[in-house]
Amino acid sequence: MDPIVIIGSGLAGYTVAREFRKLEPAASLVVVSRDEASSYSKPMLSNALAAGKGAAQIANATAAQMAEQLKARVLAGAEAASIDTAGRVLQLGGDAIRYSKLVLALGADPISVPIDGDAAADVLQVNDLAGYARFRAAIEGRKRIALLGAGLIGCEFANDLAAAGYGVEVIDPAPRPLGRLLPEVAATRVRAALEAVGVRWHFGTAASAVSRTASGLRIALANGDEIEADVVLSAIGLRPRTQLAQRAGLKTSRGIVTDRFLQTSAPEVYALGDCAEVEGRVLPFVMPIMQAARALARTLAGAPTPVIYPAMPVVVKTPAMPAVVCPPPAMAGAWRVIEDAAGVEALYEEEAGRLTGFALVGAACVRKNALANALQPD
Amino acid sequence: MKTWQCVVCGFIYDEAKGLPEDGIQAGTRWEDIPADWSCPDCGVAKADFEMVEAVAA
Ligand SMILES: Cc1cc2nc3c(=O)[nH]c(=O)nc-3n(C[C@H](O)[C@H](O)[C@H](O)COP(=O)(O)OP(=O)(O)OC[C@H]3O[C@@H](n4cnc5c(N)ncnc54)[C@H](O)[C@@H]3O)c2cc1C
Ligand SMILES: [Zn+2]
């Protein structure tokens, strides 16, 4: 029989492979990746600096080691160019691979906003190990970092850089950090705590140009201010990689559209992870990927299994002011906030006081498991 | 004996059970696990685990 082929060697691709192997010790399996296919934990990219870890320490296995562990062929440096879903053939540049089942675990691209200036091309992004290695090389021996974006990843980098002794300026059009995740009182605590470790905020404006000066870079803001920095890092958000699926005629929307079985609109083609939109939701976090990978592994092994998500709290890795958020699936209710000097507990409630999400900051983070258990799986 | 949970993916390490498949014997206390050990599910560092009072559902 033709092999099961997984495109992508990130957390989604490798976790499906590993979970599948537990169920099917012998079936033939291929993992295809356009990068080096080393296995690493992406969440560590935004807290490795202060911990003194470089890209080499973050990688925990090479492609060859993964091939051995998974008893799979791992094709590194192989870009999937097109899919013939009728003939079940994956085209890799020159080569073609026939598949019995195909898994798309393609990840997402960092969003970049148009910026003027002769150094616009120097704006860095960190969404994989190679990007992290470039970033670390760029900040080596430098002092001032400008960060575009005060979302989850922007705040984590801001905290990590500040803790490692860098001067950090964060620019975001929103009025406060973590605007999409936390209610205002909770976000205000994170803002103050990061300020206390040296982060400077520029809210309500955006970078319009980045240009070179004698000593580094100058970032011109839309509000007329200017910031001097050595390195600019953009962490504005992610867009699921849908192009390959689109070209193959698969249904896409924000991500590659799948049902609860992670099945796309094409037969024997599945998708999960940052590239997928599962029943209308894109959930680019580790926990939902683990759930999806386990369900899909069973489906691939012949027992169709829908993904069921338990409560999946996301920890914001900002040691200056820890936060945990379990975003409500729909914004149909209101936040109820309990706060004291040590922290904030915000409960998202729908009609009749039904808890559908929560956000915790500071000392209140200890309530994470109790609240997660109070939420219903969905 | 205590339980520890990976804050990123929810994986639970139970000292009483250990992780025999990882070469960690039942009864191995958290502080005796090497610092370069990482989460078997998502790969984050040992530092990203926290103690949990009761085993989560
Ligand atoms: C800095 C940072 C910190 C984070 N922190 C957390 C956190 O604390 N908690 C949390 O839950 N989540 C966190 N996340 C999110 C989480 O890390 C991601 O959701 C997850 O790692 C995505 O895994 P993936 O396998 O879907 O995508 P990726 O890891 O991006 O993998 C995609 C793979 O597809 C390959 N690929 C793409 N296109 C092709 C092609 N055409 N041909 C061949 N190969 C291709 C790529 O080479 C890559 O191997 C963080 C993300 C970032 C960037
Ligand atoms: Zn984990």
Side-chain angles (χ1 to χ4, degrees), chain A residues 6-10 14 30-39 62-64 73-81 90-95 97 130:
Chain A
I6 298 171
I7 314 176
S9 59
Y14 273 151
V30 180
V31 177
V32 172
S33 180
R34 67 181 177 195
D35 62 25
E36 287 177 0
S38 40
S39 161
T62 62
R73 277 177 76 201
V74 175
L75 305 177
E79 169 125 28
L90 169 64
Q91 208 69 47
L92 299 172
D95 293 339
I97 306 185

Side-chain angles (χ1 to χ4, degrees), chain A residues 8-9 11-12 33-35 42 46 78 80 105-107 274 284-286 317:
Chain A
S9 59
L11 193 84
S33 180
R34 67 181 177 195
D35 62 25
K42 193 181 289 206
S46 51
L106 303 167
D274 283 7
F285 298 106
V286 172
K317 303 190 294 303

Side-chain angles (χ1 to χ4, degrees), chain A residues 30-353:
Chain A
V30 180
V31 177
V32 172
S33 180
R34 67 181 177 195
D35 62 25
E36 287 177 0
S38 40
S39 161
Y40 73 102
S41 171
K42 193 181 289 206
M44 287 176 65
L45 299 182
S46 51
N47 68 357
L49 180 65
K53 292 199 174 91
Q57 286 88 36
I58 296 173
N60 49 39
T62 62
Q65 289 167 331
M66 290 307 291
E68 195 182 316
Q69 263 182 42
L70 296 168
K71 288 182 267 140
R73 277 177 76 201
V74 175
L75 305 177
E79 169 125 28
S82 63
I83 306 162
D84 167 6
T85 58
R88 296 191 190 161
V89 181
L90 169 64
Q91 208 69 47
L92 299 172
D95 293 339
I97 306 185
R98 296 183 54 84
Y99 62 81
S100 59
K101 296 188 171 82
L102 182 68
V103 176
L104 306 178
L106 303 167
D109 284 315
I111 294 174
S112 46
V113 288
I115 289 181
D116 292 332
D118 62 359
D122 294 353
V123 174
L124 297 175
Q125 294 168 327
V126 173
N127 185 39
D128 52 31
L129 261 190
Y132 186 68
R134 278 193 298 276
F135 173 66
R136 286 297 296 268
I139 65 172
E140 183 62 40
R142 302 310 190 94
K143 295 230 147 19
R144 305 161 302 168
I145 317 294
L147 259 165
L148 313 184
L152 180 95
I153 291 169
C155 285
E156 292 186 353
F157 274 115
N159 199 154
D160 201 34
L161 285 160
Y166 287 87
V168 185
E169 313 254 2
V170 185
I171 304 144
D172 197 299
R176 56 181 169 271
L178 298 162
R180 247 173 293 164
L181 288 172
L182 297 184
E184 187 170 349
V185 273
T188 305
R189 297 289 182 104
V190 175
R191 173 182 177 150
L194 287 177
E195 220 165 84
V197 296
V199 173
R200 280 189 296 266
W201 303 104
H202 304 267
F203 287 116
T205 189
S208 51
V210 180
S211 30
R212 227 159 257 134
T213 64
S215 61
L217 300 173
R218 175 174 301 134
I219 301 103
L221 305 185
N223 68 4
D225 288 351
E226 283 186 341
I227 296 172
E228 304 282 332
D230 300 311
V231 174
V232 183
L233 176 65
S234 171
I236 293 176
L238 294 169
R239 185 174 293 125
R241 294 188 176 120
T242 55
Q243 305 86 330
L244 180 67
Q246 247 163 17
R247 288 199 303 273
L250 271 59
K251 191 171 169 213
T252 65
S253 171
R254 269 209 305 140
I256 302 170
V257 170
T258 82
D259 62 13
R260 284 244 166 191
F261 294 85
L262 293 320
Q263 159 104 54
T264 68
S265 61
E268 309 302 347
V269 182
Y270 301 85
L272 83 163
D274 283 7
C275 68
E277 178 177 329
V278 181
E279 275 205 331
R281 283 201 287 167
V282 178
L283 297 170
F285 298 106
V286 172
M287 271 208 230
I289 293 176
M290 294 289 166
Q291 300 297 328
R294 292 194 182 109
L296 181 53
R298 286 193 198 99
T299 300
L300 295 174
T305 306
V307 58
I308 295 176
Y309 297 121
M312 297 180 292
V314 175
V315 174
V316 187
K317 303 190 294 303
T318 44
M321 181 56 73
V324 181
V325 52
C326 201
M331 296 309 271
W335 289 105
R336 182 161 67 84
V337 175
I338 307 154
E339 65 172 323
D340 61 24
V344 177
E345 174 172 337
L347 305 174
Y348 197 83
E349 293 172 340
E350 288 189 15
E351 78 301 331

Side-chain angles (χ1 to χ4, degrees), chain A residues 286 290, chain B residues 5-11 38-44 48-49:
Chain A
V286 172
M290 294 289 166
Chain B
Q5 183 173 36
C6 170
V7 300
V8 172
C9 78
F11 175 86
S38 61
C39 175
D41 273 4
C42 77
V44 302
D48 286 317
F49 275 68

